[in-house]
Amino acid sequence: MDRKIDNQKSQTKLTGYKMTELGPLPQEWEVVRLGEVVKNIVSGDWGSSEKSNDNFIKCYVLRGTDFKKCEDKIINDVPIRFVLKNSLEKRRLKAGDILIELSGGGPGQPTGRIFFVTEDFIKKIGENVIFSNFVKKLIADESIILSEFFYRYWQFLYQKGKTLVYEKRTTGIRNFKYNDFLKQENILIPQLEEQRKIAAILSTVQKAIETERTLIERTKELKKAMMHKLFTEGIGWLSGAETSQKQTEIGPIPESWEVVRLGEVAEQIKVNYQPSSNGFRNYVGLEHIDSGCPFLNKYGKEFEVKSTKYFFKKGQVLYGKLRPYLDKAVIASFDGICSTDIIVLEGKIVANLFLVYLLHSELFLKHAISTTSGVQHPRTSWAILKKLKIAIPQKDEQQKIADILSTIDRKIEHHTTKKQKLEELFRTLLHELMTARVRVDKINLDFLKKEE
């Protein structure tokens, strides 16, 4: 605490800084209540599911639950409703508008989320879009504050957990007391030009995050298409060669491939767990395995889990048998223990990496889903899974298929890691810029251009 006070004192000694109720700030920055910069508040409209007469217009109606997907330019789930013409004109969204979520949320997601309407969003969804009655539109006083800066500052407050204080819970529903929030929470306001620069810096990082997200999705689509081709036609088509096919009980497959049961190419390894003396073995549960990813990057510790477990060894395959996690299969990168909801497998006449991709294939996933049983926690079992008939190539082709797919997965992993680092950079910059701990003239984002 003393160090923090000393830092504040030293900062106030800097030319152009003043001490405020929120700590040292640049002389030209102002501290006001959020409500003082809000010019107007507009309530939403849910409309009707059917067109009653010609006065009703079909349009999209944005809900708080749509905010995250719409930020990612995904509009498939936004409801289409019918609203009166005058309601549409009053509430029609345009670039620069700000929406606030009033109800919803969850344990890890407080209400009070904010959505900033961009030109790209309007181009994507069209001009006929409004917002629901559980959302408010805030109109900022542009003579004092830029809408985008207001949006970013609200993000900063949300990131700090400020909106959580203003939640009211009734009958399991979380409601955001936005009037109290506007009246009681402060906002720091620099000059308009500095607001513009701050917003531009954060927008640049956000666009870099969106670029990585797009690259991840495109690469995943490529992987899906490649898996279908490789597991039905082999690798011959990659070189332009025609692969002769034969008809089998599971459909046409390359001439050199064989139809076998899964249990003939892999076996379950069941080694019961014995507690270690120090309780520091690495533990893997379903929460540590990413869907569709063959690499194991996360784990917990033995002492964190009390339930029964199995041992596994580095290089073995871990497969989640619990629905809806049936697309979770990875190569173990260390020795450890795992949940009993995970089946430990070892390839017999196939390499373990090829086995992992077999477990990610469309044929296997359909079989796994169809064989689950149970109501609360439906799951499948190796006794059932091993009966699935599959087609497998010779070992050299198995290796080539695994190499092709793992190369694609490494690319997905690269872009995922880069996206995570950019998200961390965004969170850091959001805090540092909004508190004036770092000024805009000290920020250099040239490295983002070099990596594009």
Side-chain angles (χ1 to χ4, degrees):
M1 179 63 74
D2 291 341
R3 182 179 296 176
K4 182 177 179 181
I5 293 172
D6 290 341
N7 287 341
Q8 289 184 347
K9 287 180 178 179
S10 64
Q11 199 168 7
T12 56
K13 292 178 182 178
L14 295 174
T15 304
Y17 274 75
K18 63 185 177 183
M19 180 58 71
T20 72
E21 58 188 295
L22 299 179
L25 291 175
Q27 287 285 355
E28 67 273 18
W29 283 41
E30 299 294 332
V31 181
V32 301
R33 299 296 185 192
L34 274 169
E36 294 180 46
V37 299
V38 175
K39 193 174 182 179
N40 195 14
I41 300 174
V42 182
S43 297
D45 184 359
W46 182 230
S48 304
S49 59
E50 297 179 357
K51 185 175 182 177
S52 302
N53 55 58
D54 290 342
N55 288 322
F56 283 82
I57 306 295
K58 183 170 73 171
C59 66
Y60 285 99
V61 181
L62 207 60
R63 305 160 299 179
T65 188
D66 301 315
F67 285 5
K68 181 65 178 69
K69 286 187 177 181
C70 287
E71 285 175 357
D72 298 339
K73 310 297 187 299
I74 301 170
I75 63 171
N76 301 343
D77 295 333
V78 179
I80 295 177
R81 308 278 292 178
F82 294 90
V83 300
L84 289 168
K85 288 181 180 179
N86 60 351
S87 179
L88 174 61
E89 293 306 315
K90 179 181 178 182
R91 297 175 175 84
R92 190 198 306 270
L93 293 179
K94 63 183 185 302
D97 282 346
I98 297 166
L99 301 181
I100 305 299
E101 172 196 44
L102 301 184
S103 298
Q109 180 184 283
T111 52
R113 285 183 297 171
I114 191 168
F115 180 74
F116 185 69
V117 181
T118 63
E119 289 183 6
D120 286 345
F121 173 72
I122 295 298
K123 287 178 183 177
K124 179 81 173 177
I125 200 167
E127 294 184 354
N128 283 357
V129 54
I130 64 169
F131 49 98
S132 78
N133 47 352
F134 290 110
V135 172
K136 295 282 186 185
K137 180 170 80 169
L138 302 187
I139 301 173
D141 186 342
E142 290 276 347
S143 67
I144 303 172
I145 191 167
L146 301 177
S147 294
E148 189 173 356
F149 181 83
F150 182 92
Y151 159 66
R152 294 300 184 189
Y153 198 90
W154 192 295
Q155 275 189 318
F156 163 65
L157 294 175
Y158 187 88
Q159 181 178 293
K160 288 178 65 178
K162 290 287 188 178
T163 61
L164 187 60
V165 180
Y166 297 87
E167 273 194 349
K168 181 181 179 182
R169 305 183 192 185
T170 55
T171 62
I173 299 175
R174 297 165 180 257
N175 296 304
F176 178 53
K177 299 185 288 185
Y178 73 96
N179 273 321
D180 292 343
F181 187 72
L182 293 174
K183 289 176 183 177
Q184 297 178 36
E185 290 299 325
N186 292 317
I187 182 169
L188 309 183
I189 306 180
Q191 297 296 302
L192 288 174
E193 184 56 31
E194 188 166 3
Q195 290 181 36
R196 189 172 287 107
K197 290 178 179 178
I198 289 173
I201 288 170
L202 293 170
S203 178
T204 298
V205 179
Q206 190 66 53
K207 285 178 181 176
I209 293 170
E210 290 171 4
T211 297
E212 294 305 314
R213 184 184 296 115
T214 300
L215 288 170
I216 291 167
E217 292 307 313
R218 287 178 181 173
T219 311
K220 284 182 176 180
E221 288 171 7
L222 169 65
K223 177 188 171 184
K224 184 178 179 180
M226 288 291 285
M227 284 189 71
H228 177 74
K229 292 281 283 185
L230 290 170
F231 280 108
T232 57
E233 299 180 31
I235 62 171
W237 62 274
L238 290 169
S239 59
E242 287 191 19
T243 304
S244 59
Q245 301 239 317
K246 61 184 178 183
Q247 284 296 331
T248 69
E249 55 196 301
I250 63 171
I253 65 172
E255 190 71 41
S256 61
W257 289 34
E258 294 183 21
V259 175
V260 297
R261 292 191 184 276
L262 184 59
E264 295 177 54
V265 303
E267 62 182 337
Q268 182 177 17
I269 309 297
K270 251 187 181 181
V271 181
N272 289 326
Y273 160 78
Q274 294 293 329
S276 61
S277 57
N278 59 13
F280 282 100
R281 290 191 186 94
N282 290 338
Y283 166 79
V284 176
L286 289 172
E287 68 273 19
H288 300 118
I289 302 176
D290 294 326
S291 293
C293 178
F295 310 123
L296 181 60
N297 301 313
K298 295 175 283 188
Y299 56 85
K301 287 297 182 182
E302 178 179 1
F303 59 82
E304 298 172 342
V305 185
K306 304 300 180 186
S307 61
T308 56
K309 311 168 215 31
Y310 294 133
F311 281 110
F312 63 84
K313 292 182 179 179
K314 181 179 179 180
Q316 290 180 329
V317 175
L318 307 181
Y319 175 71
K321 64 179 181 180
L322 189 67
R323 193 169 183 176
Y325 309 110
L326 297 171
D327 59 349
K328 293 192 172 189
V330 291
I331 289 279
S333 51
F334 48 79
D335 293 350
I337 55 176
C338 64
S339 161
T340 51
D341 283 325
I342 291 175
I343 302 172
V344 182
L345 298 171
E346 185 85 62
K348 292 196 290 187
I349 61 172
V350 297
N352 283 349
L353 184 57
F354 182 79
L355 175 60
V356 165
Y357 286 115
L358 272 176
L359 301 181
H360 285 170
S361 68
E362 185 179 358
L363 176 67
F364 175 81
L365 288 176
K366 285 182 178 178
H367 178 68
I369 292 169
S370 69
T371 58
T372 55
S373 60
V375 179
Q376 288 188 324
H377 303 288
R379 66 193 71 207
T380 185
S381 69
W382 180 243
I384 298 174
L385 294 176
K386 69 181 182 180
K387 296 176 183 178
L388 174 67
K389 290 183 178 180
I390 57 171
I392 62 164
Q394 299 298 313
K395 279 203 167 183
D396 62 336
E397 191 168 3
Q398 291 176 26
Q399 186 62 53
K400 289 176 182 177
I401 289 173
D403 288 345
I404 291 168
L405 294 175
S406 62
T407 298
I408 297 174
D409 273 314
R410 289 296 181 195
K411 188 172 183 180
I412 293 171
E413 189 175 49
H414 166 75
H415 289 299
T416 300
T417 299
K418 189 175 175 182
K419 174 174 164 286
Q420 290 168 346
K421 289 179 179 179
L422 285 168
E423 287 170 340
E424 181 57 36
L425 173 63
F426 179 86
R427 287 190 290 269
T428 301
L429 284 174
L430 186 64
H431 180 266
E432 298 294 299
L433 288 169
M434 292 304 177
T435 56
R437 292 187 180 184
V438 173
R439 304 301 295 277
V440 290
D441 58 342
K442 302 296 182 183
I443 303 294
N444 186 340
L445 297 179
D446 287 346
F447 72 95
L448 291 179
K449 298 176 183 177
K450 293 175 184 177
E451 293 185 13
E452 287 178 354

